[in-house]
Amino acid sequence: MTDSALIPAPGAVRHVPDGDGFVIGESTVLDAGPGTEATARWLRATLGAVTGCALAPGTGGDGGTIRLRIDPPGAGHPGPEGYRLHIGADAVALHGGGPAGVFWGAQTLRQLLGPDAFRRAALAPGRRWTVPAGSVEDAPRFPWRGLMLDVSRHFMPKEGVLRYLDLLAAHKLNVFHFHLTDDQGWRVQIKRFPRLTEVGSWRARTKFGHRASPLWEEKPHGGFYTQDDIREIVAYAAERHISVVPEIDIPGHSQAAIAAYPELGNSDVIDTTSLTVWDSWGVSENVLAPTDDTLRFYEGVFEELLGLFPADAGPFSHFFHIGGDECAKDQWKRSPAAQARIEELGLADEDELQSWFVRHFDNWLSARGRRLIGWDEILEGGLADGAAVSSWRGYQGGVTAARAGHDVVMCPEQQVYLDYRQDAGEDEPVPIAYVRTLEDVYRFEPVPSELTEAQARHVLGTQANVWTEVMEDSARVDYQVFPRLAAFAEVAWSALPAPAERDFAGFERRMAVHYERLDALGVACRPPGGPLPWQKRPGVLGRPIEGAPPNV
């Protein structure tokens, strides 16, 4: 066994050069101890399908045993997501610190079988499937290893979301940040407010390219997830030890909701009944009115959502993301009702009014056993002790939050926004912002050096963000996300040296095999040599920014 192709890189690998590997055959049995049942189901569904072997329950036999166990607490315990994998001629022993650790070890086992193990059926019946002899000991660096997917700007049907959960699992990522609402579409069914999806989930047309582009796709776009779809997505994620963190954007990025229910907007300064779901990109000036009726409306929305996203479905499933970013203040400045609210509450200005809005739902969620998380703008005005911050505008929001005792998820746009272009060449489809190459992402460091050791413990982890304004379908999402998500996964999981000292050449060698895995999974990733002809978007205006991004 070697670690030459494992991604993310494991903590320790021991090679047995003359050892006989483990052969998976028709008589191989799967011995699943208590707490490992979900991983056993996953192994039968994936390895069983591709090998043609049933992996029947059992404790021994002529075909060898794959043994799954959870280690009891004590010295040497690898942590809840850690695992130890030992492969000999007669058995595979996979011990995890918890159910999640066993599952991540199963992902490593699949990689050791080769790229064809990532297909859905056997290429050649009767093929010999061998796991090389040796052992792996491994555990993640960060507990929060996430991907945010924006399904508001371009809707991704349920099957696509389930596919992405499988892709996260294959890379040992464990948080799916589900951006469900924005100006351009409301994507989740709320039964007490049916117009949110009847009206708010569809727009008449869509800007094609950056917002300065003269091109339009002149057809309706939309879709939404029913409540049963959401339950299925959450359950599917939980089986793969992935926490789903929903995001409902307030008080800005709310034009789709106002189009459905005009009373939510600032009707004393504009005719909110004339608003439609926004068909372009950018930051809409149409924001929520700071009224009691608006608060009650969103409390009703959140009550339904808390039932769809149970707090016990994963280690981070008690988090609820409220957005809180990029709230335009012009309408509040012109609104007599908003100005009266500022005076009534004794606030200084519109910025404090936004903070009041955020703190209301901070308290509301806390009273129900949930934790609010929002983009770093929510720091302005102060937060309750339990609230957490997604640091997106750079590192500084995360530094400020950690120093104030708040937990942080590091996702600086300059480093891990995967909608940013991957190369400076003219062939990149709809080039957005700075160039962020595979190597750039590989050298991303989530923990700012200026934090003390105690402050750094507030960094829960990191996530990559995928905004889909210029990603009209799943193939475009694949192109932007992969292969960079593989580099990001290694940053989030592995104990890497300082950025400048990381072995990117070694990572590229392992990626040569990983590209074959991605191909077997049907991922339309960006090839190392640049986009294929059908991946280009010639003539579609983007928004490239030249030079290196600022380190802020």
Side-chain angles (χ1 to χ4, degrees):
M1 174 191 294
T2 72
D3 65 347
S4 61
L6 292 178
I7 291 178
V13 175
R14 185 174 66 89
H15 176 45
V16 181
D18 299 321
D20 293 330
F22 181 83
V23 178
I24 297 177
E26 292 183 1
S27 56
T28 300
V29 296
L30 186 55
D31 177 9
T36 70
E37 296 84 1
T39 297
R41 285 192 296 271
W42 183 85
L43 283 169
R44 290 191 178 100
T46 54
L47 299 191
V50 78
T51 64
C53 302
L55 300 179
T59 58
D62 295 338
T65 304
I66 300 174
R67 187 175 298 109
L68 310 179
R69 293 291 187 271
I70 293 177
D71 284 340
H77 192 271
E81 293 191 283
Y83 66 90
R84 291 191 291 265
L85 177 64
H86 179 79
I87 298 111
D90 299 322
V92 171
L94 173 51
H95 288 234
V102 176
F103 183 71
W104 304 133
Q107 298 294 334
T108 297
L109 177 63
R110 187 188 194 187
Q111 287 197 16
L112 290 169
L113 280 167
D116 284 345
F118 288 78
R119 298 186 180 274
R120 296 188 182 185
L123 299 182
R127 170 177 171 173
R128 183 181 175 92
W129 292 87
T130 303
V131 190
S135 62
V136 180
E137 292 191 19
D138 204 8
R141 178 186 178 190
F142 293 109
W144 184 302
R145 307 178 303 280
L147 177 77
M148 188 229 68
L149 180 65
D150 164 22
V151 296
S152 178
R153 274 51 177 268
H154 278 99
F155 178 64
M156 180 177 284
K158 180 192 70 176
E159 287 302 315
V161 174
L162 299 178
R163 172 176 173 265
Y164 257 81
L165 291 172
D166 280 329
L167 292 172
L168 264 64
H171 292 83
K172 298 185 174 75
L173 298 173
N174 69 339
V175 177
F176 179 61
H177 176 168
F178 206 5
H179 185 81
L180 287 163
T181 72
D182 218 296
D183 298 307
Q184 295 85 3
W186 183 285
R187 304 293 179 218
V188 56
Q189 178 189 27
I190 303 298
K191 291 185 176 178
R192 73 186 73 182
F193 302 123
R195 286 177 59 84
L196 285 172
T197 46
E198 291 171 359
V199 174
S201 69
W202 293 91
R203 58 180 181 260
R205 63 175 186 168
T206 300
K207 175 70 72 172
F208 193 40
H210 182 250
R211 59 180 175 268
S213 168
L215 304 177
W216 294 87
E217 187 176 43
E218 297 285 355
K219 65 179 183 180
H221 175 86
F224 66 93
Y225 308 103
T226 68
Q227 294 201 352
D228 281 343
D229 290 338
I230 294 293
R231 293 184 181 98
E232 181 183 358
I233 288 167
V234 171
Y236 195 85
E239 282 273 313
R240 287 148 183 80
H241 299 278
I242 296 170
S243 301
V244 181
V245 176
E247 180 182 353
I248 302 296
D249 227 327
I250 56 173
H253 289 290
S254 298
Q255 184 166 325
I258 298 168
Y261 290 93
E263 63 270 24
L264 296 173
N266 296 285
S267 55
D268 55 346
V269 293
I270 64 162
D271 178 12
T272 55
T273 63
S274 68
L275 292 178
T276 61
V277 177
W278 207 18
D279 55 14
S280 191
W281 316 125
V283 179
S284 171
E285 65 178 7
N286 295 297
V287 302
L288 297 176
T291 65
D292 287 340
D293 287 344
T294 299
L295 298 182
R296 301 292 89 76
F297 182 96
Y298 274 87
E299 287 171 1
V301 169
F302 288 4
E303 282 175 2
E304 288 197 25
L305 292 174
L306 294 187
L308 299 176
F309 294 93
D312 59 355
F316 297 108
S317 57
H318 59 299
F319 280 90
F320 195 101
H321 207 293
I322 57 90
D325 65 317
E326 296 181 324
C327 179
K329 307 297 194 305
D330 181 66
Q331 289 183 357
W332 286 353
K333 291 177 180 178
R334 295 186 289 122
S335 164
Q339 293 302 310
R341 196 75 195 232
I342 289 172
E343 183 176 356
E344 171 197 341
L345 296 169
L347 304 176
D349 53 23
E350 293 77 18
D351 290 336
E352 286 196 8
L353 184 61
Q354 179 177 352
S355 297
W356 164 81
F357 208 110
V358 170
R359 284 197 303 272
H360 174 87
F361 286 102
D362 190 348
N363 295 330
W364 189 91
L365 288 164
S366 295
R368 288 154 182 80
R370 300 301 183 102
R371 287 188 68 183
L372 180 146
I373 185 169
W375 304 111
D376 53 56
E377 286 96 328
I378 68 172
L379 285 165
E380 300 158 5
L383 285 176
D385 290 343
V389 170
S390 301
S391 187
W392 77 273
R393 290 181 292 181
Y395 287 103
Q396 192 54 52
V399 170
T400 301
R403 286 175 173 168
H406 294 289
D407 287 340
V408 178
V409 176
M410 296 302 301
C411 49
E413 61 169 322
Q414 302 88 350
Q415 312 295 329
V416 289
Y417 267 33
L418 299 185
D419 49 314
Y420 283 18
R421 57 190 171 135
Q422 302 183 66
D423 189 88
E426 295 181 357
D427 288 337
E428 288 303 304
V430 199
I432 299 297
Y434 301 102
V435 172
R436 293 286 83 195
T437 65
L438 182 66
E439 182 173 0
D440 290 331
V441 174
Y442 190 67
R443 298 193 188 281
F444 163 58
E445 172 50 48
V447 180
S449 60
E450 59 263 46
L451 293 180
T452 66
E453 184 176 345
Q455 292 165 351
R457 285 196 285 272
H458 284 291
V459 179
L460 297 175
T462 182
Q463 73 180 32
N465 293 340
V466 184
W467 302 103
T468 61
E469 285 95 335
V470 299
M471 302 180 211
E472 70 275 11
D473 54 35
S474 62
R476 278 287 291 125
V477 175
D478 280 4
Y479 180 92
Q480 292 298 133
V481 171
F482 291 99
R484 292 182 295 181
L485 192 69
F488 173 81
E490 185 147 311
V491 168
W493 177 278
S494 305
L496 298 177
E501 299 169 9
R502 294 176 187 172
D503 182 10
F504 180 68
F507 176 75
E508 281 192 305
R509 286 192 294 271
R510 287 181 285 127
M511 276 301 300
V513 176
H514 201 66
Y515 281 114
E516 296 182 47
R517 296 184 190 119
L518 295 174
D519 184 63
L521 287 165
V523 176
C525 70
R526 182 188 190 276
L532 298 169
W534 53 88
Q535 293 175 318
K536 303 174 185 179
R537 298 291 185 275
V540 181
L541 186 65
R543 184 183 60 90
I545 304 175
E546 302 306 326
N551 189 16
V552 294

